[in-house]
C-alpha cells in the first residue's frame, strides 16, 4: 500500500523538516519522499486531516493488559488496537498477569500473541519470582526471549539486599532494573495522599515520605552497585529533587511520570470516585507543578499512561477497597498536552523512552522506516465514556476537559486511524 500524508506539520528534532508543514509519501512501509507538495496518484491512500501533526511513533513504557488470566479486563488484541488508535506504535507491558510474567515462555507467549499488529509489544519481565519479592526471576533468560526490563509492577522491593543483587546481576547483560517507589511500612493501609483532603474525608493517608524514602534508598544502592535503574511513576516534588541530585552525581538513573499525576490532584477525592484511586496516589498542586517542571528541565525522562484496566466488580465498590488503577492510553495526549509544549511531550514519548529501554529510534526522513503518530494538538473536548476504547472503563479523566486529539498511527506497514 502506498500512503500519502498531506499537509502535516512534522515534530521531530532529529529531522531537517522539524516544525515544517510537508507532504509525506510512504511506499512499502518506508518514507519515499518528503516535499512541500506531492502529486496524488489514483492508487494512493490519502490521509488529509485537520491541523495534522506528525511525530515519530510514541512508546508507552507502562501498560497493563489482562491477558493471560484477566481477559475480562483487557485482551492483548484489543489492548494493542486501543494503543494504536491512541497514538502508540510500541508499548511495554507490565508482568502483572496470571500467571505473573517471570519465565522465558511467558515472555514468548506475549510476543507471539502480538505478532503482526501495528503496535509492537515489548514485555517487562518480573524482577522476582511471582513478583513476591523473595527470589530473583530468571532475568537473563527472559531478556534473551525479548524482555526489555525487569520490575514487579506497583510492588516495591522490600529486601534491600535483593535489589542490590539485582542491580549487580543485571550489569552482566546490560539489563534495566525497575524499582517501584513505595515504602510499604510507611504507606501502611493508606488509600490516598496524606494531606488536608484525606484528613477531611476520613481516608487513611499515604505520606509523600513513603515514596521519597524508597527513592533515596534505591539511589544509595545504585551509587554502591552501579548499573541502570529506572524509577517508574514518581509523584512528589521531593522525588524530583532526589533524582535531579543523583543525575548530577552521574548515576545511571531514569524515571517516568504518569499523565494523571501530571494533570490531576488529590482534590479528585471529593466524591470518592474510585477511578481516581491510583498507585502512587494523586498528590497536591505543588507536586504536579514540580513534576511538570521536572519534565521541562529534563530530570523526568518519560511520560506514561500507566494504563491499568480494572473490571467493574473491583472498581465500582467502596473507595477504600477498590483496586488501584486507571486506564490512560486514550487520554494521555489530551491530558498532558495542556500542560507542556509539544516538543517536550513528544521527546518524553519517543526518543527518551526508546533510548532508556534499549529500542531503536526513528526519524522522519527519506528512506527511513515509517513509524509515525498522527495527531492534532489544538482540539479541545470533554473526555467521555464514548472516547474509551478499552474493555474496562475505569478512567480518571471521564468528564475532564482535554486538549489535543490523536488521529492514529502508521506503523509496521499498517495505517490505523480513529
Amino acid at each position: 500500500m502506498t500512503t500519502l500524508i498531506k499537509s502535516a506539520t512534522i515534530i521531530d528534532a532529529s529531522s531537517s523538516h522539524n516544525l515544517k508543514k510537508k507532504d509525506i509519501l510512504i511506499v512499502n512501509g518506508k518514507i519515499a519522499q518528503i516535499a512541500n507538495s506531492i502529486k496524488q496518484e489514483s492508487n494512493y491512500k490519502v490521509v488529509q486531516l485537520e491541523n495534522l501533526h506528525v511525530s515519530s511513533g510514541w512508546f508507552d513504557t507502562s501498560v497493563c493488559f489482562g491477558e493471560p488470566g484477566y481477559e475480562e479486563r483487557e485482551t492483548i488484541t484489543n489492548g494493542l488496537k486501543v494503543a494504536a488508535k491512541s497514538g502508540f506504535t510500541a508499548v511495554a507491558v507490565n508482568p502483572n498477569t496470571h500467571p505473573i510474567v517471570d519465565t522465558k515462555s511467558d515472555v514468548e507467549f506475549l510476543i507471539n500473541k502480538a505478532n503482526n499488529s501495528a503496535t509492537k509489544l515489548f514485555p517487562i519481565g518480573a524482577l522476582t519470582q511471582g513478583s513476591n519479592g523473595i527470589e530473583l526471576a530468571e532475568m537473563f533468560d527472559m531478556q534473551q526471549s525479548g524482555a526489555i526490563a525487569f520490575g514487579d509492577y506497583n510492588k516495591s522491593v522490600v529486601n534491600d539486599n535483593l535489589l542490590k543483587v539485582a542491580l549487580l546481576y543485571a550489569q552482566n547483560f546490560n539489563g534495566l532494573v525497575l524499582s517501584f517507589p513505595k515504602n510499604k511500612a510507611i504507606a501502611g493501609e493508606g488509600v490516598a495522599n496524606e494531606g488536608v483532603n484525606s484528613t477531611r474525608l476520613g481516608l487513611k493517608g499515604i505520606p509523600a515520605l513513603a515514596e521519597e524514602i524508597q527513592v533515596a534508598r534505591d539511589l544509595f544502592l545504585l551509587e554502591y552497585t552501579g548499573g541502570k535503574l529506572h524509577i517508574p511513576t514518581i509523584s512528589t516534588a521531593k522525588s524530583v529533587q532526589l533524582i535531579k541530585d543523583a543525575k548530577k552525581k552521574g548515576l545511571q538513573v531514569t524515571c517516568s511520570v504518569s499523565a494523571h499525576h501530571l494533570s490531576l490532584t488529590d482534590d479528585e477525592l471529593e466524591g470518592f470516585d474510585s477511578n481516581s484511586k491510583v498507585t502512587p496516589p494523586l498528590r497536591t498542586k505543588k507536586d504536579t507543578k514540580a513534576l511538570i517542571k521536572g519534565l521541562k528541565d529534563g530530570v523526568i525522562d518519560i511520560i506514561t499512561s500507566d494504563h491499568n484496566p480494572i473490571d467493574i466488580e473491583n472498581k465500582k465498590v467502596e473507595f477504600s477497597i477498590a483496586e488501584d488503577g486507571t486506564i490512560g492510553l486514550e487520554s494521555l495526549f489530551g491530558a498532558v498536552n495542556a500542560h507542556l509544549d509539544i516538543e517536550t511531550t513528544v521527546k518524553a514519548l519517543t526518543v527518551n523512552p526508546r533510548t532508556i529501554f534499549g529500542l531503536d529510534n526513528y526519524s522522519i526522513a527519506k528512506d527511513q522506516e515509517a513509524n509515525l503518530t498522527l495527531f492534532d494538538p489544538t482540539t479541545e473536548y470533554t473526555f467521555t465514556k464514548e472516547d474509551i476504547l478499552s474493555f474496562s472503563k475505569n478512567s480518571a479523566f471521564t468528564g475532564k476537559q482535554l486538549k489535543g486529539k490523536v488521529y492514529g498511527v502508521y506503523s509496521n506497514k499498517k495505517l490505523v486511524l480513529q
Side-chain angles (χ1 to χ4, degrees):
M1 181 178 73
T2 300
T3 302
L4 176 59
I5 299 173
K6 296 289 291 182
S7 300
T9 300
I10 294 172
I11 309 295
D12 179 3
S14 69
S15 171
S16 61
H17 305 292
N18 188 35
L19 303 179
K20 297 174 183 175
K21 187 175 285 191
K22 299 286 183 179
D23 288 1
I24 304 171
L25 183 66
I26 302 169
V27 180
N28 293 326
K30 285 196 170 184
I31 298 172
Q33 187 180 356
I34 300 175
N36 291 332
S37 181
I38 299 174
K39 185 181 176 183
Q40 294 179 214
E41 302 287 348
S42 59
N43 63 327
Y44 289 179
K45 168 68 177 176
V46 178
V47 179
Q48 193 158 14
L49 300 163
E50 187 176 349
N51 194 29
L52 177 59
H53 286 58
V54 174
S55 74
S56 59
W58 301 346
F59 173 34
D60 192 334
T61 62
S62 181
V63 170
C64 303
F65 295 148
E67 190 175 359
Y70 303 108
E71 286 84 357
E72 72 281 2
R73 298 182 175 187
E74 189 63 280
T75 61
I76 291 171
T77 299
N78 189 67
L80 291 172
K81 287 178 183 176
V82 174
K85 290 185 176 183
S86 301
F88 297 93
T89 61
V91 292
V93 175
N94 291 306
N96 59 325
T97 49
H98 184 73
I100 295 288
V101 178
D102 62 358
T103 68
K104 62 181 295 183
S105 59
D106 296 328
V107 168
E108 289 163 359
F109 168 81
L110 292 178
I111 292 172
N112 291 334
K113 192 79 177 180
N115 267 346
N116 298 317
S117 61
T119 298
K120 192 160 186 181
L121 184 154
F122 294 94
I124 295 174
L127 184 67
T128 64
Q129 295 175 23
S131 287
N132 57 21
I134 298 174
E135 298 284 344
L136 286 181
E138 291 295 337
M139 296 157 64
F140 177 73
D141 285 351
M142 285 191 284
Q143 188 189 59
Q144 294 297 105
S145 295
I148 58 170
F150 308 94
D152 296 333
Y153 179 68
N154 279 0
K155 292 183 176 181
S156 56
V157 182
V158 176
N159 185 323
D160 308 329
N161 191 61
L162 190 66
L163 182 60
K164 183 197 80 173
V165 171
L167 286 166
L168 289 168
Y169 175 59
Q171 291 175 57
N172 293 312
F173 48 92
N174 199 31
L176 179 64
V177 172
L178 278 57
S179 179
F180 182 67
K182 180 180 179 181
N183 183 288
K184 289 174 67 176
I186 292 176
E189 300 298 316
V191 296
N193 178 56
E194 183 180 270
V196 173
N197 286 324
S198 63
T199 302
R200 181 171 55 82
L201 296 169
L203 296 171
K204 292 181 179 178
I206 301 174
L209 179 66
E211 173 174 311
E212 294 152 5
I213 200 168
Q214 198 80 356
V215 170
R217 181 208 70 166
D218 291 354
L219 294 173
F220 270 116
L221 287 170
L222 180 65
E223 189 172 9
Y224 178 79
T225 61
K228 297 190 299 185
L229 175 68
H230 180 72
I231 302 176
T233 58
I234 64 170
S235 68
T236 79
K238 182 67 173 176
S239 292
V240 176
Q241 187 60 51
L242 287 167
I243 293 167
K244 181 179 181 179
D245 294 342
K247 286 188 171 187
K248 282 183 179 177
K249 287 182 178 179
L251 299 185
Q252 286 193 76
V253 59
T254 55
C255 64
S256 68
V257 63
S258 76
H260 43 275
H261 287 104
L262 283 173
S263 51
L264 301 175
T265 70
D266 62 356
D267 289 343
E268 299 297 320
L269 295 174
E270 197 75 45
F272 299 97
D273 182 1
S274 61
N275 287 332
S276 62
K277 184 170 185 265
V278 292
T279 298
L282 298 177
R283 302 291 187 181
T284 67
K285 190 67 178 173
K286 175 188 172 185
D287 293 306
T288 60
K289 285 181 177 178
L291 294 168
I292 290 167
K293 187 175 186 300
L295 270 165
K296 291 177 178 177
D297 293 345
V299 178
I300 300 175
D301 305 278
I302 295 170
I303 300 170
T304 176
S305 68
D306 202 28
H307 181 81
N308 190 4
I310 306 292
D311 53 282
I312 194 169
E313 289 82 4
N314 289 291
K315 255 305 182 183
K316 204 167 185 181
V317 293
E318 185 181 331
F319 188 92
S320 60
I321 62 172
E323 283 196 31
D324 295 356
T326 175
I327 57 173
L329 284 168
E330 300 98 314
S331 53
L332 181 146
F333 181 64
V336 303
N337 184 50
H339 302 281
L340 294 164
D341 65 271
I342 191 66
E343 289 179 279
T344 298
T345 300
V346 167
K347 186 178 180 183
L349 291 172
T350 57
V351 176
N352 287 357
R354 285 184 168 277
T355 301
I356 290 163
F357 280 75
L359 307 185
D360 292 334
N361 276 291
Y362 294 94
S363 180
I364 302 176
K366 187 180 177 182
D367 297 328
Q368 295 296 305
E369 181 181 341
N371 188 285
L372 307 171
T373 297
L374 289 66
F375 59 96
D376 167 15
T378 57
T379 298
E380 296 187 17
Y381 68 105
T382 301
F383 188 81
T384 67
K385 283 191 175 179
E386 284 67 46
D387 296 302
I388 296 174
L389 307 171
S390 304
F391 286 173
S392 297
K393 309 302 179 186
N394 57 306
S395 173
F397 289 100
T398 304
K400 303 295 183 190
Q401 281 293 118
L402 303 184
K403 181 185 178 184
K405 276 233 175 189
V406 174
Y407 289 126
V409 300
Y410 186 100
S411 176
N412 197 21
K413 299 183 179 180
K414 294 178 176 65
L415 176 68
V416 180
L417 298 176
Q418 287 268 23

